[in-house]
Amino acid sequence: MLKLSKLTDYAVIVLGCLGDQAGKPVSASFVSGKTQLPEPTVQKVLKMMASKKIITAQRGANGGYIVPLSLACISVTDVVEAIEGPLELSPCENDAQNDCALARLYAPQNKWNKVNIAIKKTLDEIRISDLVK
């Protein structure tokens, strides 16, 4: 079974909360209170998404986290890759040097790449705004 971590689900919830704030910077503790998620978890998710530029962190007295784009501009792929890492079923497929032991043994010849592309395309088409309505 292909399974995403709870952090990815939490990231969507956090984005929904940030999206409701209409560009107003909010703290991790505010998001935690609104979503009922533990504050350390919210902080972790916020940092991961900020490092991938999905959200912006503003410092200072009026600082906090904001979503610089509409939630309709953020794809599920963006969030999954920010939390889980690159989206791929078979790491050998995206290895530019193709020095994976499995690739040498079984020569998959990009068979899984079709699946990777189909999943990524589908997740690219789904927007966070579709999930938080």
Side-chain angles (χ1 to χ4, degrees):
M1 173 193 296
L2 191 59
K3 189 173 181 181
L4 299 174
S5 72
K6 286 184 180 182
L7 281 181
T8 300
D9 190 31
Y10 296 160
V12 172
I13 293 167
V14 167
L15 282 170
C17 178
L18 292 176
D20 288 344
Q21 302 313 307
K24 175 186 162 198
V26 294
S27 67
S29 61
F30 175 87
V31 174
S32 175
K34 284 286 190 182
T35 62
Q36 299 299 304
L37 295 172
E39 189 170 344
T41 302
V42 170
Q43 290 172 338
K44 181 176 183 176
V45 166
L46 289 169
K47 286 179 184 177
M48 293 170 89
M49 289 193 297
S51 74
K52 296 297 183 182
K53 310 286 190 245
I54 294 173
I55 62 171
T56 303
Q58 294 181 346
R59 295 182 182 208
N62 296 320
Y65 293 92
I66 62 168
V67 180
L69 302 171
S70 162
L71 296 182
C73 295
I74 302 169
S75 73
V76 171
T77 301
D78 296 331
V79 176
V80 169
E81 289 188 339
I83 304 299
E84 307 285 343
L87 186 61
E88 55 189 26
L89 293 178
S90 173
C92 296
E93 295 300 325
N94 293 325
D95 183 356
Q97 295 176 0
N98 206 16
D99 62 355
C100 174
L102 291 176
R104 288 192 305 273
L105 289 172
Y106 301 107
Q109 300 169 341
N110 291 329
K111 292 177 184 173
W112 281 109
N113 204 32
K114 288 181 182 181
V115 177
N116 287 338
I117 290 168
I119 290 172
K120 187 173 183 334
K121 181 179 181 233
T122 300
L123 296 180
D124 280 341
E125 293 171 357
I126 302 169
R127 300 298 174 184
I128 297 303
S129 59
D130 296 330
L131 301 179
V132 298
K133 287 181 181 175

